Amino acid sequence: MSNVVNIAKNFTTLGEGPHWDDTKQRLLFVDIDESKIHRLDYKTRSFAEPITLPDPTVGAVVPREKGGLVAAASHRFLSIDEESGQIQTLATVTENVKCRFNDGKCDPRGRFWAGTMGLETAPSKFFPKQGELFSLGTDLTVTRQLVDVEISNGLAWTQDCSRMFYIDTLEYNIRCFKYDVDTGAISEPTVVVTFDKKKHGEPDGQCIDTDGNLWLAMYGTGGIVKVDTTKGEIVEKVKISDSALRTTSCCFGGPNLDELFVTSIRCSQSDLDNGIALGESGSLFKVTGLGVRGLPAVPFKG
């Protein structure tokens, strides 16, 4: 039976992009609106001083194989030296001021994939179809993979590297692409599963287990769902919290990759003004007892 533990209550404004750094046994994740990168040491259960970026937002972060971190922030890919704090631009992907980076991770060859979304014009109101999906190659070249995206979100690759799963939240589905691991090219998209917004919530970040099943954070319902990709259906649900309904993403971590870390969004001032309790919103959660393991996350190899 699964067990949910709140390991950092009300910690982030807009928590996203959890990434398990297997080499250093730590969890990386971001607070998009605060433009902060957080680092949680698994053994000591302590947080390092957050890294605050000069960009207005940060959508995703991954470790870099040769040291430091790489982040997708606002409109650019950045390299970050954790010791000196030095930040350098690796590539600027767009000049579109109506969008920002939202979520990303590395593919099996160490390319950094990250997508954008339209900026909010009001709570839950976005500039439509401003998003794109990009990949940063190990040679630091940027490839535009998709356009006309609403909210670029979860990415995952199968263990045999033949398929890539992708979520554009407002499409309310998971798409599967044929994947060429040598070139990083995607093709032949098909829909794996479609969600009902009222029943399931909005699909957000995702990860994959060793059985090839996907685990998704469902924004708006405070839960995680497991999707059998061969059947194309939800086969398990895990309630994270009744008061942290805006769950945003998840990843497997821990020494055995059998613990699921889940990020969420804290209630806004307008929420509080409308009588919604802060509760556990904005917390970082850990789920154990799922009976599955995840695949090791890949660092950026450029």
Side-chain angles (χ1 to χ4, degrees), residues 12 14 22 42 48 54 92 103 129 136 148 161 181 213 215 243 267 292:
T12 52
L14 206 173
D22 201 48
Y42 184 86
T92 298
D103 195 9
K129 296 290 183 180
L136 177 67
D148 294 328
C161 307
V181 70
N213 298 313
W215 296 77
S243 60
C267 285
V292 296

Side-chain angles (χ1 to χ4, degrees), residues 221-281:
T221 57
I224 299 292
V225 299
K226 176 183 177 181
V227 171
D228 184 318
T229 56
T230 60
K231 296 179 180 178
E233 61 184 42
I234 295 172
V235 293
E236 187 174 341
K237 298 179 182 180
V238 179
K239 187 67 175 180
I240 298 301
S241 173
D242 288 323
S243 60
L245 298 181
R246 294 167 182 164
T247 43
T248 55
S249 193
C250 57
C251 77
F252 284 102
N256 299 313
L257 296 175
D258 60 353
E259 303 172 23
L260 192 71
F261 293 93
V262 182
T263 51
S264 68
I265 295 177
R266 189 165 65 221
C267 285
S268 65
Q269 187 58 53
S270 62
D271 290 331
L272 299 176
D273 291 343
N274 288 324
I276 298 175
L278 182 64
E280 294 185 289
S281 67

